[in-house]
Amino acid sequence: VVLYEGDSERLYIRKLLGLPDFSSLYDSYIAFIQVGGAYAHNYLPMLTMLKMKTLIITDLDYDKNVVTIENAKSSKSTNATINHCYRLIHPDRGEKYSPTIQELYDFQKKDEVVLYDGLVYLAFQDENSTARTLEEAMLNKLLETNVFEKLKRSEWKSIRKNNKLTFTIPNNKKDEDDSEYSIRKIVEATSNNKTDFMYSVILSGIEEKMLPDYIKKGLLWLAK
């Protein structure tokens, strides 16, 4: 079973299964279930009872207004599934404990994201990507820069053209000829056209080039 958040993830994951690294999954019977980040954990009691190997792909969803990785690490995720899974491993923290992003990065690095005796894998954005969503992580992989670093509007136009991508670039700010915008601002401006962005990635044939590490690790785990 693959539990995922929305249409963008569905399009992307299905396309990724055509890559050589995941060829064994292409011929496997996989149930794709769209659940949203807030609800995936509700399926776990049933799936583990049935002993179904389950990959959860979800977003870290920390405060989008933070402007440095240091501030991001001290903020918290609004993703109920991630927080629920963290508490499964750290029950001493309490039933309502919300871990910081740094705690979630550490949780991930210690491979505590493999749950229920190896039956469930929880995949979300890692510390290297600095991202909070799939789209941010994909642009981070393509550009090899963190989501806070700003690029000039003219640079974003070149990136869009050279990679045949569809995304929205905000207009120049008042009294500026070539305003600077971060990956986060580009994704925020494209929030109503996520599906178009994903279609452009697929049609341009750069899905592997933009493959975030956390999704690759999750799919490789599922393929074992």
Side-chain angles (χ1 to χ4, degrees):
V1 178
V2 177
L3 303 178
Y4 64 93
E5 291 209 6
D7 290 336
S8 293
E9 285 85 356
R10 175 179 55 81
L11 289 168
Y12 192 45
I13 296 164
R14 286 182 177 275
K15 183 64 177 178
L16 290 174
L17 296 189
L19 297 177
D21 283 347
F22 316 122
S23 58
S24 64
L25 291 174
Y26 193 80
D27 295 323
S28 301
Y29 180 80
I30 299 175
F32 292 91
I33 305 173
Q34 183 172 334
V35 293
Y39 303 106
H41 61 287
N42 294 327
Y43 288 76
L44 294 180
M46 177 184 67
L47 293 171
T48 53
M49 179 187 70
L50 296 172
K51 299 189 182 304
M52 287 188 173
K53 194 172 184 181
T54 301
L55 171 62
I56 303 171
I57 298 177
T58 193
D59 286 338
L60 195 50
D61 284 338
Y62 62 78
D63 184 357
K64 66 181 179 181
N65 294 314
V66 301
V67 294
T68 66
I69 186 59
E70 290 75 20
N71 288 340
K73 288 178 180 180
S74 63
S75 68
K76 297 188 176 185
S77 173
T78 59
N79 188 304
T81 292
I82 293 176
N83 292 339
H84 171 82
C85 291
Y86 181 88
R87 291 192 294 267
L88 287 178
I89 301 298
H90 299 278
D92 56 306
R93 305 294 172 89
E95 293 181 1
K96 296 183 179 180
Y97 184 75
S98 295
T100 65
I101 298 304
Q102 181 62 68
E103 287 177 308
L104 292 173
Y105 286 151
D106 294 339
F107 170 68
Q108 193 178 51
K109 282 185 251 184
K110 293 175 183 175
D111 284 334
E112 293 176 332
V113 291
V114 181
L115 306 154
Y116 295 98
D117 296 323
L119 200 61
V120 175
Y121 186 103
L122 176 66
F124 56 88
Q125 292 81 19
D126 58 32
E127 187 171 0
N128 291 332
S129 78
T130 68
R132 63 184 294 278
T133 66
L134 170 62
E135 292 78 16
E136 286 185 4
M138 292 175 71
L139 285 171
N140 161 265
K141 190 69 176 183
L142 176 68
L143 304 178
E144 298 182 338
T145 184
N146 69 52
V147 300
F148 307 104
E149 187 173 331
K150 295 180 179 179
L151 301 175
K152 292 184 179 296
R153 194 169 185 273
S154 56
E155 293 178 272
W156 279 116
K157 285 184 174 181
S158 295
I159 291 166
R160 185 171 62 183
K161 180 180 178 181
N162 293 340
N163 293 284
K164 299 179 181 177
L165 292 173
T166 299
F167 57 75
T168 302
I169 305 170
N171 293 326
N172 283 318
K173 300 171 187 175
K174 187 177 180 181
D175 300 325
E176 291 184 0
D177 295 327
D178 200 3
S179 295
E180 295 182 333
Y181 293 103
S182 64
I183 287 175
R184 174 146 305 149
K185 287 299 181 184
I186 295 297
V187 171
E188 189 178 315
T190 310
S191 60
N192 292 327
N193 298 297
K194 288 182 179 181
T195 305
D196 290 341
F197 169 76
M198 194 58 70
Y199 271 123
S200 71
V201 171
I202 292 169
L203 291 172
S204 299
I206 55 175
E207 62 275 1
E208 186 172 15
K209 189 176 180 181
M210 297 183 75
L211 176 58
D213 291 342
Y214 74 98
I215 291 183
K216 183 175 183 178
K217 288 177 181 177
L219 290 174
L220 289 173
W221 172 86
L222 192 64
K224 286 180 182 177

